[in-house]
Amino acid sequence: MQLQRKDLLGIEQLDRKEIELILEAARPFKSLFTRSIKKVPTLRGKTVVNLFYEPSTRTRLSFEIAAKRLSADVVNIATSSSSVVKGENLIDTGKTLEAMKADIIIIRHNLAGAPAVLGRNLHSSIINAGDGFHEHPTQGLLDLYTILDKKKKIEGLKVLLVGDILHSRVAKSNIWGLIKMGAQVRVAGPPTLIPAGIENMGVKVFYDLNEALKGVDVVNILRIQMERQQDNLFPSMHEYIELYQMTGDRLKYAKPDVLVMHPGPMNRGIEISSEVADSPAAVINEQVTNGIAVRMAVLYLLSAKAGGEHKQKIARNS
Amino acid sequence: MKILISGGRVIDPAFKSDKKMDLLISDGVIERVADKITDKADTKIDARGKIVAPGLIDIHTHLREPGHEEEETIASGTRAAAKGGYTSIFCMPNTHPPLDNAPAVEFVLMKAQKEGLINVFPIGCITKESAGVELAEIGVLKSAGVIAISDDGNPVMDSQVMRHALEYTKMFSLPVISHAEDKNLSKNGVMNEGGVSTVLGLRGIPNQSEDIMVSRDIMLAELTGGHLHVAHVSTEGSVDLIRRAKKNKIKVTAETCPHYFTLTDEAVKNYDTNTKMKPPLRAQRDVEAIIKGLSDGTIDCIASDHAPHTEEEKNKEYDLAPFGIIGLESTLSLVIMDLIDKKILSWPQAICLMSGNPASIFGLNGRGKIKSGCVADIVVIDPLKEFVLTKNSILSKSKNSPYIGKKMKGAAEYTIAGGKIVWSEKEGINQ
């Protein structure tokens, strides 16, 4: 079985079957990690390019390790030291990579829709590694994998996302994935960080964190960025900590076996206390490990369509 | 030089007439309109089954010359307009340099005289460099030939400046056209704020960015007695505010554009940058309010807001692409398909919104009506003509239209400007 699509732009476009296919495919890859030789020849001869327009360590590294464990040739491009600084536009950069026969291009961009622009203009497969405030589908998938791994199911679980929903692509991908898999999703944060019409996605909005935590099985804590305060979206970090920091006391409102997740990098002492981050409930490091397995699964499942002919591109759009 | 147009359904919004008549044009003016004309003519147009109307007037076009001739020129823009059934267009002053001084206005008029195919009426800036700080020399601009003033593309954020503009222009009877946008609310937004912008991860512009400024400008029009014209109305709130202002006899007029009654922000999905314009495509309830405003007379004009941008500028990330879409060659068809065919407007109402009202609001004497002695600006419309809008068919230098690939119905068969056939379906552009 393969994914019948050229690109992975978001979880919005995936159906439940496709999500399940990816999660199932990740399992055997994860079992590789405990072996002394962690590598399989699945993508031998394929070229994978990491095209990162935003600084990133963990996502870029995770994709690089995933591709290498599949025996693909991996090239990393940081745009700060490439032709992009000479003014080359996104499409031309993509076409150059395609001319070098890149089978899969993994793109991280600060602007929403940039992977879609590349996908429309190139035959190479495009994987969205995070675009603006839009989506970060592999993060969403690895979060689903981690929940499934720990809770053995997703259907019917109560999952809470806390913090800056407005600027979070992770939140968006999580919401799409969780809803499609049958979870009940809540979001909590100050009203200025909750985007318009989020209820239309099927989530319940809370401003009071304690209220939101009641009875939840999973809590996913989002990173809060310092510059949001300068935008006047909340008055001070001090007040944010008062209202929204995940502490041991707060966590008692959730179910006793609650799972604590964070996409990283964490601001300890801001959105999450060290007590919670280091507690047995936290699966933050496992998320990182699972990320590699899930990205291997995505690379593998897309590789059938990768670097294909134009007609496949048309098939995707129809 | 005589042109006889016979057998057509002659629609004149000014005189509320709508019946089968013949029309004789002689030396640039309408000589006669009668049930049957048998005079000799140099050119005869068989208009049976066609609509014969005063030439369309687009009160909101960006011609880009001077400064961005790669996007559009006065020559190419007037050709696109002629094809769209227009005999007059008003060009916005946000050129480079902007039309905030008499020589720049004179340049446009001279170029239009030399290279333009139809009438061009420039709009001058409200403020110097459209910076919203100091009033431009409005009296001098008026003498140079501007028909209205606007800082289009930029709102006048300073209420005191806007107040003075509305007050000062009273002595010239010049309408002040407001691009209603509260910049502090629209900020970095690139599309309508709502469920769709949230899903796409694009920054939103709330309706209130427009509503607040429409409200402010109506209050300033009330305070000053100046003539306010609201450009490109896109929201339910604006329509309500304008309706109420008119009831209270405040001197306000308004226009909307085809994209605000044919598309919603759902069209932005897929990040197609030809759906990016200001104000942005709104929600379904806004579309419905716009349609209601058109049918009850709250909105006076339908304008294209023709805003050409090259493919290089548009084919990129949504945030980076410029705002604006072209419209001269699709507006008439969209009005026919989405308003007339759907029985929202009658033909006379539609012609009123696209020709009669623009002429009377902006004081174009002898245009926008069909009567002996008037300027022979005429459009003959084939309401049944079917075609697909393609990039190749577009005469504008730019092809940034969200309607490319769409099946259209209704088009100009002949456009006659000043008694000269400038466009015909059979022979194309006639220089």
Side-chain angles (χ1 to χ4, degrees):
Chain A
M1 264 291 267
Q2 294 279 349
L3 280 174
Q4 296 306 309
R5 53 179 68 244
K6 180 176 87 73
D7 307 319
L8 177 63
L9 303 177
I11 298 186
E12 183 189 2
Q13 292 86 18
L14 300 179
D15 59 31
R16 183 167 175 160
K17 271 214 175 94
E18 290 175 291
I19 294 170
E20 283 169 349
L21 176 68
I22 296 167
L23 300 182
E24 274 163 37
R27 200 161 297 281
F29 287 127
K30 193 182 175 188
S31 66
L32 273 179
F33 300 170
T34 49
R35 299 193 200 157
S36 60
I37 295 172
K38 301 179 178 62
K39 206 164 170 168
V40 289
T42 317
L43 291 193
R44 196 161 59 195
K46 298 269 184 194
T47 303
V48 174
V49 177
N50 268 325
L51 178 62
F52 275 54
Y53 284 81
E54 262 186 357
S56 156
T57 312
R58 68 180 59 213
T59 304
R60 190 189 57 69
L61 216 55
S62 179
F63 268 111
E64 183 173 355
I65 291 170
K68 282 182 169 163
R69 286 187 185 165
L70 290 166
S71 304
D73 297 309
V74 186
V75 189
N76 292 310
I77 302 173
T79 53
S80 52
S81 57
S82 71
S83 52
V84 172
V85 288
K86 297 179 190 162
E88 188 174 59
N89 73 32
L90 174 66
I91 295 165
D92 286 334
T93 302
K95 290 209 161 145
T96 306
L97 298 176
E98 185 167 70
M100 292 171 178
K101 308 297 173 206
D103 297 291
I104 300 179
I105 298 172
I106 296 157
I107 177 174
R108 156 71 61 94
H109 204 289
N110 58 324
L111 299 178
V117 171
L118 265 197
R120 252 201 313 271
N121 284 280
L122 301 184
H123 305 314
S124 305
S125 269
I126 308 298
I127 297 176
N128 179 3
D131 61 330
F133 313 143
H134 174 224
E135 281 218 45
H136 189 354
T138 56
Q139 178 72 43
L141 289 164
L142 78 88
D143 289 343
L144 290 177
Y145 184 93
T146 307
I147 295 170
L148 187 61
D149 194 41
K150 291 288 168 191
K151 298 283 183 191
K152 307 297 169 208
K153 61 163 190 176
I154 298 174
E155 180 106 45
L157 293 183
K158 288 192 174 72
V159 182
L160 170 66
L161 299 158
V162 184
D164 184 357
I165 312 296
L166 178 63
H167 300 99
S168 178
R169 51 197 174 210
V170 175
K172 243 70 80 55
S173 287
N174 261 277
I175 293 169
W176 282 122
L178 288 163
I179 299 273
K180 284 172 199 254
M181 296 299 289
Q184 296 175 35
V185 185
R186 303 173 175 184
V187 298
T192 44
L193 293 179
I194 306 284
I198 188 88
E199 305 85 359
N200 300 347
M201 292 179 78
V203 307
K204 219 175 153 191
V205 177
F206 291 80
Y207 304 134
D208 180 333
L209 183 54
N210 294 350
E211 203 56 41
L213 275 164
K214 281 179 187 163
V216 302
D217 299 282
V218 179
V219 54
N220 201 337
I221 302 155
L222 302 168
R223 184 181 156 75
I224 191 85
Q225 269 159 354
M226 305 292 175
E227 58 263 31
R228 303 301 169 216
Q229 188 199 328
Q230 282 138 35
D231 292 344
N232 252 324
L233 292 168
F234 55 89
S236 69
M237 271 303 169
H238 170 251
E239 181 155 315
Y240 187 86
I241 291 165
E242 282 283 310
L243 296 172
Y244 293 103
Q245 185 184 84
M246 193 59 68
T247 59
D249 278 347
R250 282 223 165 91
L251 206 53
K252 287 178 190 146
Y253 286 92
K255 281 196 182 156
D257 60 345
V258 66
L259 213 60
V260 175
M261 301 170 71
H262 191 299
M266 278 188 286
N267 294 307
R268 278 174 185 268
I270 298 195
E271 71 265 7
I272 187 168
S273 71
S274 279
E275 181 197 4
V276 172
D278 300 327
S279 72
V283 289
I284 297 162
N285 290 329
E286 276 171 80
Q287 287 174 268
V288 176
T289 310
N290 294 340
I292 296 172
V294 166
R295 290 182 174 115
M296 286 173 81
V298 167
L299 287 165
Y300 160 64
L301 292 170
L302 282 181
S303 63
K305 294 276 176 190
E309 295 304 312
H310 192 61
K311 57 180 185 284
Q312 290 172 342
K313 191 176 159 200
I314 291 161
R316 181 185 65 92
N317 290 335
S318 60
Chain B
M1 177 73 186
K2 286 187 187 233
I3 304 172
L4 176 62
I5 305 170
S6 53
R9 178 179 165 192
V10 176
I11 292 175
D12 180 77
F15 303 102
K16 307 248 184 294
S17 67
D18 173 10
K19 61 177 192 174
K20 232 175 107 175
M21 283 197 288
D22 292 355
L23 188 155
L24 184 67
I25 294 168
S26 177
D27 296 327
V29 294
I30 298 171
E31 188 181 303
R32 200 146 34 96
V33 193
D35 288 343
K36 191 76 199 159
I37 299 175
T38 50
D39 294 36
K40 275 199 171 152
D42 305 280
T43 308
K44 284 186 176 173
I45 293 173
D46 178 0
R48 281 175 298 177
K50 309 284 155 51
I51 305 285
V52 179
L56 306 181
I57 300 171
D58 189 20
I59 62 173
H60 198 142
T61 300
H62 296 269
L63 286 176
R64 304 298 188 213
E65 188 174 357
H68 280 289
E69 291 81 357
E70 77 284 4
E71 295 174 335
E72 197 77 284
T73 60
I74 289 165
S76 64
T78 53
R79 277 156 184 73
K83 188 181 167 210
Y86 292 99
T87 52
S88 296
I89 52 179
F90 299 2
C91 61
M92 280 294 173
N94 61 339
T95 47
H96 296 276
L99 307 186
D100 65 353
N101 61 87
V105 173
E106 283 155 5
F107 168 82
V108 168
L109 286 169
M110 186 197 75
K111 272 278 205 174
Q113 186 72 35
K114 234 170 74 184
E115 296 167 13
L117 201 59
I118 59 163
N119 308 297
V120 174
F121 295 99
I123 293 167
C125 294
I126 299 173
T127 62
K128 288 176 185 150
E129 294 179 340
S130 288
V133 182
E134 280 178 85
L135 288 182
E137 292 181 333
I138 298 167
V140 175
L141 289 172
K142 162 91 178 175
S143 313
V146 306
I147 195 161
I149 55 168
S150 178
D151 278 354
D152 190 66
N154 292 307
V156 178
M157 280 300 291
D158 186 324
S159 305
Q160 179 77 312
V161 175
M162 192 61 171
R163 177 218 166 128
H164 288 153
L166 281 160
E167 210 155 38
Y168 189 73
T169 46
K170 283 192 332 184
M171 68 171 141
F172 311 118
S173 299
L174 274 185
V176 178
I177 303 174
S178 163
H179 169 111
E181 174 189 355
D182 184 326
K183 280 265 189 194
N184 296 320
L185 275 176
S186 59
K187 215 167 178 194
N188 303 320
V190 294
M191 69 170 293
N192 184 45
E193 180 176 308
V196 182
S197 67
T198 292
V199 165
L200 291 175
L202 293 172
R203 287 187 181 86
I205 302 173
N207 281 21
Q208 284 71 11
S209 166
E210 176 174 320
D211 303 348
I212 285 171
M213 291 301 259
V214 169
S215 172
R216 181 201 74 171
D217 289 345
I218 286 171
M219 289 178 179
L220 293 175
E222 185 178 23
L223 170 70
T224 60
H227 178 175
L228 170 71
H229 177 82
V230 184
H232 41 53
V233 170
S234 77
T235 66
E236 183 186 29
S238 297
V239 176
D240 286 345
L241 287 160
I242 294 162
R243 187 179 288 125
R244 220 179 316 152
K246 285 188 163 184
K247 227 171 155 184
N248 295 336
K249 307 280 182 244
I250 298 168
K251 211 167 171 187
V252 53
T253 53
E255 80 199 24
T256 190
C257 313
H259 34 288
Y260 303 122
F261 59 76
T262 58
L263 296 172
T264 67
D265 58 359
E266 292 282 336
V268 182
K269 288 196 165 176
N270 219 9
Y271 301 97
D272 177 0
T273 56
N274 286 337
T275 61
K276 182 177 174 182
M277 76 289 289
K278 260 188 186 172
L281 297 174
R282 302 289 187 184
Q284 188 56 38
R285 59 181 296 170
D286 296 299
V287 168
E288 282 158 18
I290 296 286
I291 287 172
K292 186 146 184 294
L294 282 165
S295 67
D296 73 8
T298 301
I299 298 173
D300 306 275
C301 309
I302 296 170
S304 74
D305 196 1
H306 180 81
H309 291 291
T310 63
E311 253 177 295
E312 291 83 355
E313 293 175 286
K314 274 290 197 181
N315 190 15
K316 52 173 70 165
E317 298 89 321
Y318 205 85
D319 284 272
L320 301 182
F323 292 93
I325 60 167
I326 56 169
L328 286 170
E329 294 164 77
S330 50
T331 297
L332 174 60
S333 309
L334 294 165
V335 168
I336 292 172
M337 288 189 297
D338 281 81
L339 300 177
I340 297 174
D341 286 358
K342 291 184 180 164
K343 311 262 182 250
I344 292 157
L345 297 182
S346 65
W347 266 104
Q349 277 178 304
I351 296 301
C352 202
L353 285 153
M354 297 182 78
S355 181
N357 284 349
S360 60
I361 289 169
F362 294 92
L364 300 186
N365 293 328
R367 299 186 202 273
K369 49 192 163 191
I370 293 184
K371 190 189 172 194
S372 68
C374 282
V375 182
D377 283 355
I378 302 288
V379 60
V380 179
I381 299 165
D382 180 351
L384 300 175
K385 162 92 185 169
E386 290 189 0
F387 66 102
V388 176
L389 188 73
T390 61
K391 275 188 197 175
N392 284 337
S393 70
I394 290 172
L395 293 183
S396 167
K397 270 192 157 186
S398 294
K399 319 293 175 191
N400 51 313
S401 166
Y403 303 107
I404 284 173
K406 186 179 162 74
K407 260 183 84 174
M408 300 288 217
K409 190 176 149 238
E413 186 164 82
Y414 292 93
T415 306
I416 301 167
K420 182 177 170 234
I421 298 175
V422 290
W423 160 262
S424 77
E425 180 62 40
K426 268 189 227 94
E427 288 164 37
I429 289 292
N430 179 23
Q431 309 278 8

